[in-house]
């Protein structure tokens, strides 16, 4: 055997002996007070490490567990706890000079408690406060002073997000994984974060952050791309199921903060959208494009552009919002011009709008400008609504007019044309109020008035109908009134001039139209009619138009 081969073999054996024997001669726990003190100083929180052991092969110190204390202003429960902590070190300085230089930190199965208080501050805001002010020698690659680490990672972690005082169920995130390269309080560093969300959702955030804000860690500048897959806000705990809002969304967004302003833009693909308790998930997806900004100090935001698209329908929204720990308050305006009713009809069930049973809208356009104000989970929506040239297929208006259908033979067909419908709407959690109604239905005539639709869909409308005297139900009714002209005096002509009072009751899925016969008589006492012995006018009108009011 050649001499150099013998030397190499001897060196290899010696290294193996050293590797095996070193942990017995170096008590890793002697470094624990120093390491705890340096981590505590850098993080601004007390850090406790468990039993330390030295792994020469991996070049690391291993702590059985780690506990990082909470900010006492938030809780006495630890901010972070981890099953084990691996601290990579430079071995030669450690073995020869007993000097600890950390190159990497890895936490296994950590659990983090994130708390948001009533003033809008987070419990992690004070982490590292003042650490970035410490000067670091340019040649130093360890964590001291000021915690500089070549690689920092978290694997298979979990996190609870709660409010102080408590408000609702805490949010829970599992399978949290974080990788940070060249971490430093004083410089920008790249990071990758991923987590599993309740309801089979996933979150990925990739970007750069830093330097760490010395006053408030939550205001640290960053630039990152966010990807949310299969995001269910109810399952994730973001939305209260009692409000009735639900959806499944895939979101891709870019977010950037300079520490004072947060700017975001991106897209969202939303399926199974439902906006109210009595709604039904929309059968077709809704796509959003958005651009917004937020002042991180006042927590007030502005939506510069929000485009809502479903099928070929495109609508716009702009406005502002205010975030508080208790709720998000909106001040938005939604605008839709000449939207295709055929396209938006599929969204009506999602907002709780139910058409008469067996019917469907066909053709026409919808134009509206709606102001959306108040709490995001229960906003007030108000503004004008204008519908043009549509028809309600599968709906026989004549069969819904109490009394008139009993005359026999009055039919409007299984289709009701709506030439126009205009109203000023005000909608909230209690229902919808419609004022300044102006509708033109050729089969009946024109109608004006006001009314309400309750949250359960109950109708209560008072209308004045001017009959179309040439065709449809209006023409038939006018013919009957004219035949009774001798009994009712000028009632027929008055009905044409001033309109017939009508109420609409029942529900949106089963409406009922009743003509107010008493009001039609204009307050006259039918018993005083000269033809009373032959025919009682009130009884006649009751038979024609339903029960007198």
């Amino acid at each position: 055997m050649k001499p150099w081969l013998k030397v190499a073999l001897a060196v290899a054996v010696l290294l193996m002996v050293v590797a095996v024997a070193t942990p017995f001669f170096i008590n890793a726990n002697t470094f624990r007070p120093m390491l705890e003190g340096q981590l505590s100083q850098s993080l601004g929180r007390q850090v406790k490490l468990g039993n330390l052991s030295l792994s020469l092969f991996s070049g690391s110190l291993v702590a059985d567990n780690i506990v990082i204390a909470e900010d006492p202003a938030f809780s006495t429960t630890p901010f972070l706890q981890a099953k084990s902590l691996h601290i990579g070190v430079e071995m030669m300085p450690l073995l020869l000079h007993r000097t600890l230089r950390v190159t990497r930190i890895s936490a296994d199965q950590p659990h983090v408690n994130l708390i948001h208080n009533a003033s809008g501050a987070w419990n992690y805001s004070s982490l590292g406060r003042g650490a970035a002010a410490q000067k670091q020698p340019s040649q130093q690659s360890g964590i001291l002073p000021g915690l500089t680490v070549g690689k920092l990672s978290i694997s298979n972690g979990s996190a609870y997000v709660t409010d102080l005082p408590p408000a609702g169920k805490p949010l829970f995130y599992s399978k949290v994984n974080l990788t940070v390269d060249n971490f430093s309080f004083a410089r920008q560093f790249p990071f990758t974060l991923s987590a599993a969300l309740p309801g089979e959702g996933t979150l990925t955030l990739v970007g750069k952050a830093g330097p760490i804000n010395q006053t408030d860690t939550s205001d640290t500048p960053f630039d990152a791309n966010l990807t949310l897959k299969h995001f269910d806000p109810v399952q994730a705990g973001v939305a209260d199921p009692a409000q009735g809002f639900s959806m499944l969304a895939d979101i891709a967004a870019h977010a950037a903060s300079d520490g004072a302003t947060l700017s975001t833009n991106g897209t969202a693909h939303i399926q199974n959208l439902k906006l109210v308790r009595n709604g039904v998930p929309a059968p077709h997806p809704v796509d959003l494009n958005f651009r917004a900004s937020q002042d991180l100090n006042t927590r007030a935001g502005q939506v510069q552009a929000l485009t809502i698209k479903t099928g070929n329908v495109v609508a716009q929204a702009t406005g502002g919002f205010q975030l508080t720990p208790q709720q998000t308050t909106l001040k938005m305006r939604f605008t839709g011009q000449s939207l295709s009713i055929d396209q938006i009809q599929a969204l009506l069930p999602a907002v709780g709008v139910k058409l008469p049973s067996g019917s469907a809208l066909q053709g026409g356009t919808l134009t509206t400008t709606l102001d959306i104000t108040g709490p995001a989970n229960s906003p007030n929506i108000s503004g004008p609504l204008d519908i043009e040239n549509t028809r309600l297929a599968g709906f026989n208006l004549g069969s819904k007019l109490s009394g008139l259908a009993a005359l026999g033979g009055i039919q409007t067909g299984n289709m009701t044309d709506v030439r126009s419908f205009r109203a000023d709407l005000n909608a909230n959690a209690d229902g919808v109020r419609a004022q300044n109604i102006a509708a033109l239905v050729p089969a009946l005539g024109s109608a004006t008035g006001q009314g309400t639709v309750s949250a359960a869909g109950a109708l209560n409308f008072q209308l004045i109908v001017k009959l179309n005297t040439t065709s449809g139900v209006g023409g038939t009714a006018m013919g009957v009134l004219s035949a009774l002209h001798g009994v009712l005096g000028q009632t027929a002509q008055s009905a044409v001039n001033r309109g017939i009072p009508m109420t609409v009751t029942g529900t949106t899925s089963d409406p009922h139209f009743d003509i107010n016969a008493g009001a039609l008589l204009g307050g006259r006492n039918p018993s005083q009619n000269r033809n009373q012995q032959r025919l009682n006018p009130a009884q006649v009108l009751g038979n024609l138009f339903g029960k007198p009011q």
Side-chain angles (χ1 to χ4, degrees), residues 381-424:
I381 303 173
S382 60
L385 181 73
D386 190 338
I387 296 175
E388 299 284 347
N389 299 317
T390 190
R391 59 176 58 93
L392 193 57
F395 181 74
N396 188 321
L397 177 62
S399 67
K400 295 294 182 179
L401 288 166
S402 178
L404 291 179
L407 292 175
I410 296 181
Q411 295 293 330
T412 60
N414 205 30
M415 182 85 71
T416 298
D417 288 329
V418 179
R419 187 74 50 81
S420 64
F421 177 89
R422 296 179 179 87
D424 293 326

Short mmCIF file of all heavy atoms in Angstrom, two decimals, residues 381-424:
data_model
loop_
_atom_site.label_atom_id
_atom_site.label_comp_id
_atom_site.label_asym_id
_atom_site.label_seq_id
_atom_site.Cartn_x
_atom_site.Cartn_y
_atom_site.Cartn_z
N ILE A 381 -77.39 49.21 0.80
CA ILE A 381 -77.21 49.37 -0.64
C ILE A 381 -78.36 50.22 -1.16
O ILE A 381 -79.54 49.88 -0.97
CB ILE A 381 -77.19 48.01 -1.35
CG1 ILE A 381 -76.08 47.13 -0.76
CG2 ILE A 381 -76.99 48.18 -2.85
CD1 ILE A 381 -76.09 45.71 -1.28
N SER A 382 -78.05 51.32 -1.80
CA SER A 382 -79.09 52.22 -2.27
C SER A 382 -78.73 52.81 -3.62
O SER A 382 -77.55 53.00 -3.93
CB SER A 382 -79.33 53.35 -1.26
OG SER A 382 -78.15 54.11 -1.08
N GLY A 383 -79.77 53.11 -4.40
CA GLY A 383 -79.56 53.74 -5.70
C GLY A 383 -80.66 53.38 -6.68
O GLY A 383 -81.54 52.55 -6.40
N PRO A 384 -80.62 53.98 -7.85
CA PRO A 384 -81.65 53.73 -8.88
C PRO A 384 -81.40 52.44 -9.65
O PRO A 384 -80.27 52.02 -9.84
CB PRO A 384 -81.52 54.94 -9.80
CG PRO A 384 -80.07 55.32 -9.69
CD PRO A 384 -79.67 55.03 -8.27
N LEU A 385 -82.50 51.82 -10.08
CA LEU A 385 -82.46 50.61 -10.90
C LEU A 385 -83.33 50.85 -12.12
O LEU A 385 -84.46 51.32 -12.00
CB LEU A 385 -82.98 49.41 -10.11
CG LEU A 385 -82.98 48.06 -10.82
CD1 LEU A 385 -81.56 47.54 -10.94
CD2 LEU A 385 -83.85 47.06 -10.07
N ASP A 386 -82.80 50.54 -13.29
CA ASP A 386 -83.51 50.80 -14.54
C ASP A 386 -83.43 49.55 -15.41
O ASP A 386 -82.35 49.12 -15.82
CB ASP A 386 -82.87 51.99 -15.26
CG ASP A 386 -83.70 52.46 -16.45
OD1 ASP A 386 -84.50 51.66 -16.97
OD2 ASP A 386 -83.51 53.61 -16.87
N ILE A 387 -84.61 48.93 -15.69
CA ILE A 387 -84.69 47.73 -16.54
C ILE A 387 -85.45 48.10 -17.80
O ILE A 387 -86.51 48.73 -17.75
CB ILE A 387 -85.38 46.58 -15.81
CG1 ILE A 387 -84.55 46.15 -14.60
CG2 ILE A 387 -85.61 45.40 -16.74
CD1 ILE A 387 -85.22 45.09 -13.75
N GLU A 388 -84.93 47.68 -18.96
CA GLU A 388 -85.55 48.00 -20.24
C GLU A 388 -85.77 46.74 -21.06
O GLU A 388 -84.88 45.88 -21.16
CB GLU A 388 -84.65 48.96 -21.04
CG GLU A 388 -84.40 50.31 -20.38
CD GLU A 388 -85.60 51.24 -20.48
OE1 GLU A 388 -86.52 50.93 -21.26
OE2 GLU A 388 -85.62 52.26 -19.76
N ASN A 389 -86.97 46.64 -21.62
CA ASN A 389 -87.29 45.67 -22.68
C ASN A 389 -86.94 44.23 -22.32
O ASN A 389 -86.21 43.55 -23.04
CB ASN A 389 -86.58 46.06 -23.98
CG ASN A 389 -87.01 47.42 -24.48
OD1 ASN A 389 -88.21 47.74 -24.47
ND2 ASN A 389 -86.06 48.23 -24.90
N THR A 390 -87.50 43.78 -21.23
CA THR A 390 -87.34 42.38 -20.87
C THR A 390 -88.71 41.72 -20.82
O THR A 390 -89.75 42.39 -20.94
CB THR A 390 -86.61 42.24 -19.52
OG1 THR A 390 -86.27 40.86 -19.33
CG2 THR A 390 -87.49 42.69 -18.36
N ARG A 391 -88.73 40.42 -20.63
CA ARG A 391 -89.99 39.71 -20.49
C ARG A 391 -89.83 38.63 -19.44
O ARG A 391 -88.75 38.06 -19.26
CB ARG A 391 -90.43 39.10 -21.82
CG ARG A 391 -89.46 38.12 -22.43
CD ARG A 391 -90.02 37.48 -23.71
NE ARG A 391 -90.36 38.48 -24.69
CZ ARG A 391 -89.54 38.89 -25.65
NH1 ARG A 391 -88.31 38.39 -25.72
NH2 ARG A 391 -89.92 39.78 -26.52
N LEU A 392 -90.93 38.38 -18.73
CA LEU A 392 -90.94 37.37 -17.70
C LEU A 392 -91.62 36.13 -18.28
O LEU A 392 -92.85 36.01 -18.30
CB LEU A 392 -91.68 37.88 -16.45
CG LEU A 392 -91.54 37.08 -15.17
CD1 LEU A 392 -90.08 36.94 -14.78
CD2 LEU A 392 -92.32 37.74 -14.05
N ALA A 393 -90.79 35.21 -18.79
CA ALA A 393 -91.32 34.00 -19.41
C ALA A 393 -91.81 33.05 -18.34
O ALA A 393 -91.25 32.95 -17.25
CB ALA A 393 -90.22 33.32 -20.24
N GLY A 394 -92.90 32.34 -18.64
CA GLY A 394 -93.46 31.40 -17.68
C GLY A 394 -94.33 32.06 -16.63
O GLY A 394 -94.63 31.45 -15.60
N PHE A 395 -94.75 33.31 -16.86
CA PHE A 395 -95.56 34.03 -15.89
C PHE A 395 -96.80 34.59 -16.57
O PHE A 395 -96.70 35.42 -17.49
CB PHE A 395 -94.75 35.16 -15.25
CG PHE A 395 -95.50 35.93 -14.20
CD1 PHE A 395 -95.75 35.37 -12.96
CD2 PHE A 395 -95.95 37.22 -14.47
CE1 PHE A 395 -96.43 36.08 -11.98
CE2 PHE A 395 -96.63 37.93 -13.50
CZ PHE A 395 -96.88 37.36 -12.25
N ASN A 396 -97.99 34.15 -16.13
CA ASN A 396 -99.26 34.61 -16.67
C ASN A 396 -99.82 35.67 -15.73
O ASN A 396 -100.34 35.36 -14.66
CB ASN A 396 -100.23 33.43 -16.80
CG ASN A 396 -101.52 33.81 -17.53
OD1 ASN A 396 -102.06 34.89 -17.34
ND2 ASN A 396 -102.00 32.88 -18.36
N LEU A 397 -99.71 36.92 -16.13
CA LEU A 397 -100.15 38.02 -15.28
C LEU A 397 -101.64 37.95 -14.99
O LEU A 397 -102.09 38.19 -13.87
CB LEU A 397 -99.80 39.36 -15.94
CG LEU A 397 -100.26 40.61 -15.20
CD1 LEU A 397 -99.60 40.69 -13.84
CD2 LEU A 397 -99.94 41.86 -16.03
N GLY A 398 -102.43 37.57 -16.00
CA GLY A 398 -103.87 37.52 -15.81
C GLY A 398 -104.29 36.58 -14.70
O GLY A 398 -105.21 36.86 -13.93
N SER A 399 -103.59 35.45 -14.59
CA SER A 399 -103.95 34.47 -13.57
C SER A 399 -103.61 34.94 -12.17
O SER A 399 -104.09 34.38 -11.18
CB SER A 399 -103.24 33.15 -13.85
OG SER A 399 -101.84 33.29 -13.67
N LYS A 400 -102.80 36.00 -12.05
CA LYS A 400 -102.39 36.50 -10.74
C LYS A 400 -103.22 37.69 -10.29
O LYS A 400 -103.09 38.15 -9.16
CB LYS A 400 -100.91 36.91 -10.76
CG LYS A 400 -99.95 35.75 -10.99
CD LYS A 400 -99.97 34.77 -9.83
CE LYS A 400 -98.98 33.65 -10.02
NZ LYS A 400 -98.97 32.71 -8.88
N LEU A 401 -104.11 38.21 -11.18
CA LEU A 401 -104.95 39.36 -10.83
C LEU A 401 -106.23 38.86 -10.20
O LEU A 401 -107.09 38.31 -10.86
CB LEU A 401 -105.25 40.20 -12.07
CG LEU A 401 -104.07 41.00 -12.61
CD1 LEU A 401 -104.36 41.50 -14.01
CD2 LEU A 401 -103.75 42.16 -11.69
N SER A 402 -106.36 39.05 -8.89
CA SER A 402 -107.51 38.56 -8.15
C SER A 402 -108.79 39.15 -8.70
O SER A 402 -108.92 40.36 -8.86
CB SER A 402 -107.36 38.93 -6.68
OG SER A 402 -108.47 38.50 -5.94
N GLY A 403 -109.77 38.30 -9.00
CA GLY A 403 -111.07 38.75 -9.47
C GLY A 403 -111.16 38.80 -10.98
O GLY A 403 -112.13 38.33 -11.56
N LEU A 404 -110.18 39.39 -11.65
CA LEU A 404 -110.26 39.54 -13.09
C LEU A 404 -110.24 38.19 -13.79
O LEU A 404 -110.95 37.95 -14.75
CB LEU A 404 -109.12 40.41 -13.60
CG LEU A 404 -109.19 41.90 -13.21
CD1 LEU A 404 -107.98 42.61 -13.76
CD2 LEU A 404 -110.47 42.54 -13.73
N ALA A 405 -109.39 37.26 -13.29
CA ALA A 405 -109.30 35.96 -13.94
C ALA A 405 -110.61 35.21 -13.81
O ALA A 405 -110.96 34.40 -14.66
CB ALA A 405 -108.18 35.14 -13.32
N ALA A 406 -111.38 35.51 -12.77
CA ALA A 406 -112.66 34.81 -12.55
C ALA A 406 -113.72 35.24 -13.55
O ALA A 406 -114.77 34.62 -13.64
CB ALA A 406 -113.15 35.08 -11.13
N LEU A 407 -113.47 36.35 -14.27
CA LEU A 407 -114.44 36.77 -15.29
C LEU A 407 -114.53 35.73 -16.39
O LEU A 407 -115.53 35.64 -17.09
CB LEU A 407 -114.03 38.11 -15.90
CG LEU A 407 -114.12 39.33 -14.96
CD1 LEU A 407 -113.56 40.56 -15.67
CD2 LEU A 407 -115.55 39.56 -14.52
N GLY A 408 -113.45 34.93 -16.53
CA GLY A 408 -113.46 33.86 -17.52
C GLY A 408 -112.85 34.28 -18.83
O GLY A 408 -113.23 35.28 -19.41
N GLY A 409 -111.84 33.56 -19.22
CA GLY A 409 -111.27 33.78 -20.54
C GLY A 409 -110.19 34.84 -20.61
O GLY A 409 -109.65 35.07 -21.67
N ILE A 410 -109.88 35.52 -19.50
CA ILE A 410 -108.83 36.53 -19.56
C ILE A 410 -107.48 35.83 -19.51
O ILE A 410 -107.14 35.18 -18.54
CB ILE A 410 -108.94 37.53 -18.40
CG1 ILE A 410 -110.24 38.31 -18.51
CG2 ILE A 410 -107.75 38.48 -18.40
CD1 ILE A 410 -110.41 39.33 -17.42
N GLN A 411 -106.72 35.94 -20.58
CA GLN A 411 -105.41 35.30 -20.65
C GLN A 411 -104.38 36.28 -21.18
O GLN A 411 -104.67 37.07 -22.09
CB GLN A 411 -105.46 34.07 -21.56
CG GLN A 411 -106.37 32.97 -21.04
CD GLN A 411 -105.85 32.32 -19.78
OE1 GLN A 411 -104.63 32.25 -19.57
NE2 GLN A 411 -106.75 31.84 -18.93
N THR A 412 -103.21 36.28 -20.61
CA THR A 412 -102.11 37.09 -21.13
C THR A 412 -101.05 36.20 -21.76
O THR A 412 -100.01 36.68 -22.18
CB THR A 412 -101.46 37.92 -20.01
OG1 THR A 412 -100.95 37.04 -19.02
CG2 THR A 412 -102.47 38.85 -19.37
N GLY A 413 -101.31 34.91 -21.77
CA GLY A 413 -100.29 34.01 -22.26
C GLY A 413 -99.26 33.74 -21.19
O GLY A 413 -99.27 34.33 -20.12
N ASN A 414 -98.37 32.80 -21.50
CA ASN A 414 -97.38 32.40 -20.52
C ASN A 414 -96.11 33.26 -20.64
O ASN A 414 -95.00 32.77 -20.54
CB ASN A 414 -97.02 30.92 -20.73
CG ASN A 414 -96.50 30.29 -19.45
OD1 ASN A 414 -96.88 30.69 -18.36
ND2 ASN A 414 -95.62 29.32 -19.60
N MET A 415 -96.35 34.56 -20.87
CA MET A 415 -95.24 35.50 -21.06
C MET A 415 -95.76 36.89 -20.71
O MET A 415 -96.84 37.29 -21.13
CB MET A 415 -94.77 35.48 -22.51
CG MET A 415 -93.59 36.39 -22.81
SD MET A 415 -92.03 35.58 -22.43
CE MET A 415 -91.99 34.36 -23.76
N THR A 416 -95.01 37.64 -19.92
CA THR A 416 -95.39 39.00 -19.57
C THR A 416 -94.26 39.93 -19.97
O THR A 416 -93.14 39.83 -19.44
CB THR A 416 -95.66 39.14 -18.06
OG1 THR A 416 -96.76 38.29 -17.71
CG2 THR A 416 -96.00 40.57 -17.70
N ASP A 417 -94.54 40.81 -20.90
CA ASP A 417 -93.55 41.79 -21.35
C ASP A 417 -93.46 42.92 -20.35
O ASP A 417 -94.47 43.40 -19.82
CB ASP A 417 -93.92 42.36 -22.72
CG ASP A 417 -93.73 41.34 -23.84
OD1 ASP A 417 -92.83 40.49 -23.71
OD2 ASP A 417 -94.48 41.40 -24.83
N VAL A 418 -92.24 43.35 -20.09
CA VAL A 418 -91.99 44.53 -19.25
C VAL A 418 -91.22 45.52 -20.11
O VAL A 418 -90.02 45.34 -20.38
CB VAL A 418 -91.18 44.16 -17.99
CG1 VAL A 418 -90.92 45.41 -17.15
CG2 VAL A 418 -91.92 43.11 -17.16
N ARG A 419 -91.94 46.55 -20.56
CA ARG A 419 -91.29 47.53 -21.42
C ARG A 419 -90.22 48.30 -20.65
O ARG A 419 -89.13 48.56 -21.16
CB ARG A 419 -92.35 48.49 -21.96
CG ARG A 419 -91.85 49.48 -23.02
CD ARG A 419 -91.61 48.82 -24.35
NE ARG A 419 -92.72 48.02 -24.80
CZ ARG A 419 -93.84 48.49 -25.40
NH1 ARG A 419 -93.98 49.80 -25.59
NH2 ARG A 419 -94.78 47.67 -25.81
N SER A 420 -90.55 48.66 -19.41
CA SER A 420 -89.58 49.37 -18.58
C SER A 420 -89.96 49.23 -17.12
O SER A 420 -91.13 49.05 -16.77
CB SER A 420 -89.49 50.85 -18.97
OG SER A 420 -90.73 51.50 -18.72
N PHE A 421 -88.95 49.30 -16.26
CA PHE A 421 -89.16 49.31 -14.81
C PHE A 421 -88.07 50.16 -14.20
O PHE A 421 -86.88 49.90 -14.38
CB PHE A 421 -89.12 47.90 -14.24
CG PHE A 421 -89.25 47.86 -12.75
CD1 PHE A 421 -90.50 47.78 -12.15
CD2 PHE A 421 -88.13 47.94 -11.93
CE1 PHE A 421 -90.63 47.77 -10.76
CE2 PHE A 421 -88.24 47.91 -10.55
CZ PHE A 421 -89.51 47.84 -9.96
N ARG A 422 -88.50 51.18 -13.44
CA ARG A 422 -87.55 52.05 -12.76
C ARG A 422 -87.96 52.20 -11.31
O ARG A 422 -89.15 52.28 -10.99
CB ARG A 422 -87.50 53.43 -13.44
CG ARG A 422 -86.98 53.38 -14.86
CD ARG A 422 -86.99 54.77 -15.51
NE ARG A 422 -86.46 54.73 -16.86
CZ ARG A 422 -87.18 54.46 -17.94
NH1 ARG A 422 -88.48 54.20 -17.81
NH2 ARG A 422 -86.61 54.43 -19.15
N ALA A 423 -86.95 52.25 -10.42
CA ALA A 423 -87.23 52.43 -9.00
C ALA A 423 -85.97 52.86 -8.28
O ALA A 423 -84.85 52.60 -8.74
CB ALA A 423 -87.77 51.13 -8.39
N ASP A 424 -86.16 53.55 -7.16
CA ASP A 424 -85.06 53.87 -6.26
C ASP A 424 -85.06 52.83 -5.15
O ASP A 424 -86.05 52.69 -4.42
CB ASP A 424 -85.23 55.27 -5.67
CG ASP A 424 -85.09 56.36 -6.72
OD1 ASP A 424 -84.29 56.17 -7.65
OD2 ASP A 424 -85.77 57.39 -6.62
#
